[in-house]
């Protein structure tokens, strides 16, 4: 009895059944079915790029009866364990997360993966952490190589990296990896300014 009740409640929550007081439970018509919500977590400093991407994603999700819920976040979001809280509070069926290259973000994603929550990551990889969720990233190495080739053709031979010295050692390691693995293969000498 408890199992059938839970199954009926689940079908009702998903919008497949319609319960009418004093009349019974019916199969919902197509127009009455609710869409599932997918969270789109994006770093607010990337608003312009991410909101354009969200618009394109929603066009792809519409035929699948999935709604994209936009959730902008600031730097402390993952350190404050806000990802799990938003997933629960907004009753999300999955999430697309614009990740930050820091340990707090990697930890939050890993925790959601352990719980079996479906996540797709967008952005840079987390080099020190093996995460299981799919990662969608631009070809940043290729774009940087193209830009550096342009500078070389323009006659520049000493290229420096000017980067913010972040409070997070994880982000600093990520920045240093980019400097070593991309810049060092293209130009000598390399001047890195922390």
């Amino acid at each position: 009895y408890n199992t059938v009740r839970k199954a009926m409640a689940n079908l009702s929550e998903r919008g497949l059944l319609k319960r009418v007081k004093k009349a019974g439970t019916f199969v919902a018509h197509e127009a009455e079915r609710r869409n599932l919500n997918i969270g789109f977590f994006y770093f607010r400093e990337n608003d312009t790029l991410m909101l354009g991407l969200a618009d394109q994603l929603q066009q792809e999700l519409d035929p699948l009866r999935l709604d994209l819920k936009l959730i902008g976040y600031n730097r402390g979001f993952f350190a404050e364990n806000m990802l799990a809280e938003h997933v629960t509070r907004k009753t999300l069926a999955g999430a697309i997360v614009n990740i930050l290259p820091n340990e707090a973000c990697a930890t939050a994603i890993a925790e959601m993966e352990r719980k079996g929550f479906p996540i797709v990551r967008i952005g840079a990889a987390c080099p020190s952490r093996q995460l299981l969720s799919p990662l969608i990233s631009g070809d940043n190495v290729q774009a940087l190589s193209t830009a550096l080739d342009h500078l070389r053709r323009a006659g520049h031979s000493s290229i420096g990296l000017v980067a913010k010295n972040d409070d997070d050692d994880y982000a600093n390691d990520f920045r240093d990896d980019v400097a070593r693995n991309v810049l060092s293969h293209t130009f000598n000498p390399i001047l890195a300014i922390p």
Side-chain angles (χ1 to χ4, degrees), residues 50-61:
M50 289 295 120
L51 294 178
L53 177 59
D55 185 48
Q56 291 175 346
L57 283 169
Q58 186 59 65
Q59 290 176 31
E60 297 297 321
L61 294 174

Side-chain angles (χ1 to χ4, degrees), residues 34-47:
R34 287 189 305 238
N35 292 351
L36 294 175
N37 295 326
I38 304 296
F40 183 70
F41 294 85
Y42 67 95
F43 186 44
R44 283 198 174 105
E45 289 181 19
N46 295 340
D47 266 356

Side-chain angles (χ1 to χ4, degrees), residues 7-30 32-34:
M8 296 293 281
N10 183 291
L11 290 171
S12 182
E13 285 174 16
R14 292 173 46 199
L16 300 174
L17 293 179
K18 180 180 179 182
R19 292 182 172 180
V20 179
K21 263 189 179 176
K22 297 183 182 181
T25 302
F26 305 92
V27 174
H29 296 290
E30 187 68 26
E32 296 173 329
R33 293 185 184 172
R34 287 189 305 238

Side-chain angles (χ1 to χ4, degrees), residues 46-138:
N46 295 340
D47 266 356
T48 304
L49 175 66
M50 289 295 120
L51 294 178
L53 177 59
D55 185 48
Q56 291 175 346
L57 283 169
Q58 186 59 65
Q59 290 176 31
E60 297 297 321
L61 294 174
D62 278 341
L64 303 172
R65 302 192 61 77
L66 299 170
D67 286 331
L68 203 60
K69 300 298 178 191
L70 302 179
I71 304 153
Y73 65 82
N74 295 317
R75 286 205 183 272
F77 181 81
F78 294 105
E80 297 167 6
N81 295 319
M82 299 295 289
L83 181 61
E85 179 184 320
H86 276 282
V87 163
T88 303
R89 190 177 55 195
K90 295 184 183 298
T91 60
L92 301 175
I96 301 167
V97 182
N98 172 217
I99 62 172
L100 295 177
N102 64 43
E103 190 58 36
C105 180
T107 300
I109 298 292
E111 179 61 30
M112 297 307 293
E113 288 176 351
R114 274 192 293 282
K115 292 178 179 178
F117 187 78
I119 289 183
V120 173
R121 298 173 290 141
I122 295 177
C126 296
S128 72
R129 178 75 67 113
Q130 190 68 25
L131 296 172
L132 304 173
S133 53
L135 172 66
I136 300 170
S137 65

